[in-house]
Amino acid sequence: MIKGAIFDADGTLLDSMGMWDTVGERYLASLGIAARPGLRQILFPLSLSQCAVYLKESYGLPDSHRDIEAGINGTIRTFYRQEVVAKAGAKEFLTELRRRGVAITLATATDREVITAGLARTGLLPLLDGLVTCGDLGVDKRTPTIFHYARDDMGTATEATWVFEDAVHAARTAYQAGYRVAGVADPYSDQEALQGTCHLYLPDLTDFMGFYERAQAQT
């Protein structure tokens, strides 16, 4: 039986990965500056503070690095409060799990304040039993600590707990830690690699019964 479900947020429940891909352009646009081609590829591997340094030096911004970093954070917060939408079927999927008595916890690398705003906007927050962030624990998803924390909070056994992820590295971590893993398709993930490291692959979240029946057969 499925007793617990641990969901990622960005790219799994929320259609938000595109924002992270374009946050540099969004921030510059808020200043009335057009980004030069290739900016997203340059910023992708950088930390937030490194992005601030790059933007200041490359675009001659008068603000301090700290102020630029705060401005980028403001752009992110605005998106989650005013623009983010749930992925197709997400609300119904969570509702059906709850109806069947499955505990649901969100485990995300995104800042708690930001993700809570996005979940509230999309109506998903009331469907969760718990929420934990990598920032809360001081870890990332290359170790299973956040999944173990969520599972302990729900009081479910590892083999009866499913982890829903769009990111290959996080899905692999959960898989190797003994969880059942559902890979959720997202355009910003490597779909072939994701399919190779999960028990079930979901093109989207619109077919709950298709997932549930197959999942029940595996547990």
Side-chain angles (χ1 to χ4, degrees):
M1 296 290 291
I2 307 169
K3 296 294 186 180
I6 301 172
F7 279 85
D8 173 54
D10 297 300
T12 301
L13 290 177
L14 300 180
D15 190 6
S16 52
M17 293 305 294
M19 186 282 303
W20 291 100
D21 196 45
T22 60
V23 66
E25 287 100 323
R26 286 171 172 264
Y27 171 66
L28 290 174
S30 73
L31 302 177
I33 300 171
R36 295 188 286 272
L39 179 63
R40 66 186 65 180
Q41 288 78 15
I42 294 170
L43 297 185
F44 179 76
L46 305 182
S47 68
L48 186 58
S49 60
Q50 290 171 330
C51 288
V53 171
Y54 177 83
L55 292 175
K56 179 174 178 60
E57 295 178 354
S58 298
Y59 288 84
L61 303 182
D63 292 335
S64 68
H65 295 144
R66 181 174 296 181
D67 287 341
I68 294 170
E69 187 171 338
I72 296 171
N73 271 322
T75 298
I76 294 169
R77 287 194 297 271
T78 296
F79 171 81
Y80 279 90
R81 289 172 179 164
Q82 301 180 9
E83 299 180 46
V84 71
V85 297
K87 295 189 76 170
K91 190 170 186 178
E92 294 78 9
F93 201 100
L94 296 182
T95 299
E96 288 300 317
L97 283 175
R98 286 184 64 86
R99 193 166 71 84
R100 288 163 173 79
V102 178
I104 304 170
T105 294
L106 192 89
T108 178
T110 302
D111 176 80
R112 174 176 286 272
E113 177 189 357
V114 168
I115 206 64
T116 300
L119 293 166
R121 169 181 161 76
T122 55
L124 301 182
L125 189 60
L127 299 174
L128 304 175
D129 296 300
L131 190 162
V132 60
T133 74
C134 289
D136 293 338
L137 304 179
V139 299
D140 61 30
K141 289 186 177 180
R142 288 176 173 80
T143 68
T145 302
I146 192 169
F147 301 126
H148 294 336
Y149 183 96
R151 182 209 62 209
D152 288 345
D153 193 51
M154 295 186 294
T156 57
T158 301
E159 62 272 13
T161 304
W162 280 77
V163 173
F164 295 78
E165 279 282 356
D166 68 294
V168 176
H169 74 278
R172 183 177 295 117
T173 297
Y175 189 100
Q176 293 174 345
Y179 293 90
R180 296 286 176 171
V181 178
V184 181
D186 188 82
Y188 292 89
S189 294
D190 182 336
Q191 300 309 298
E192 184 176 351
L194 184 63
Q195 291 182 60
T197 191
C198 62
H199 295 90
L200 292 178
Y201 175 77
L202 309 181
D204 54 45
L205 294 174
T206 62
D207 183 14
F208 173 80
M209 286 309 301
F211 160 78
Y212 191 73
E213 290 172 358
R214 287 183 293 159
Q216 289 291 73
Q218 292 197 26
T219 55

